[in-house]
Amino acid sequence: MIRERLLAEEDEDPVLSLVNLIDVFLVLIAALLLAMASHPLNPFTADKVTVIRNAGRPDMQVVIKDGQRVERFKAAEGTAGGGSGGVKAGVAYRLEDGSMVYVPE
């Protein structure tokens, strides 16, 4: 009878739900720390990493991280456009099997 009474009192204890919330928050904090550690631009790694943001769009960026040094390059208008100063070098054809053939002029 005393045992049943103790169990019934434990079930009504509001502190138990608070302990469960603390456990949930600890799991979330651990997951966030793991996500930060596995990010390619983590400042604590000595790897050489190249990240391309917004590839093919006018606001494209290339981020190069070499150890502690981080360089950012932004696409400027006319940088890779091939607008002026170029000469036609030949013609490329795609064949039916998917291969490409380049014919210089």
Side-chain angles (χ1 to χ4, degrees):
M1 180 126 176
I2 296 174
R3 179 181 248 178
E4 290 176 12
R5 190 172 180 188
L6 287 175
L7 289 176
E9 288 176 8
E10 275 186 24
D11 291 339
E12 296 174 6
D13 191 9
V15 176
L16 291 177
S17 61
L18 182 64
V19 171
N20 289 337
L21 282 176
I22 292 172
D23 291 341
V24 169
F25 285 126
L26 286 175
V27 169
L28 286 174
I29 289 171
L32 288 174
L33 286 174
L34 287 173
M36 284 178 40
S38 65
H39 192 272
L41 295 178
N42 184 1
F44 302 112
T45 60
D47 297 338
K48 184 171 183 176
V49 179
T50 303
V51 177
I52 300 174
R53 294 183 179 174
N54 304 326
R57 293 173 38 201
D59 60 341
M60 182 175 81
Q61 270 188 339
V62 178
V63 181
I64 300 172
K65 180 186 156 298
D66 188 8
Q68 293 291 324
R69 197 171 112 218
V70 177
E71 293 182 57
R72 296 173 196 257
F73 300 101
K74 293 185 179 184
E77 191 173 326
T79 303
S84 63
V87 177
K88 185 175 178 182
V91 180
Y93 296 98
R94 182 182 309 269
L95 301 179
E96 292 177 2
D97 63 352
S99 62
M100 299 286 286
V101 175
Y102 169 71
V103 180
E105 287 188 353

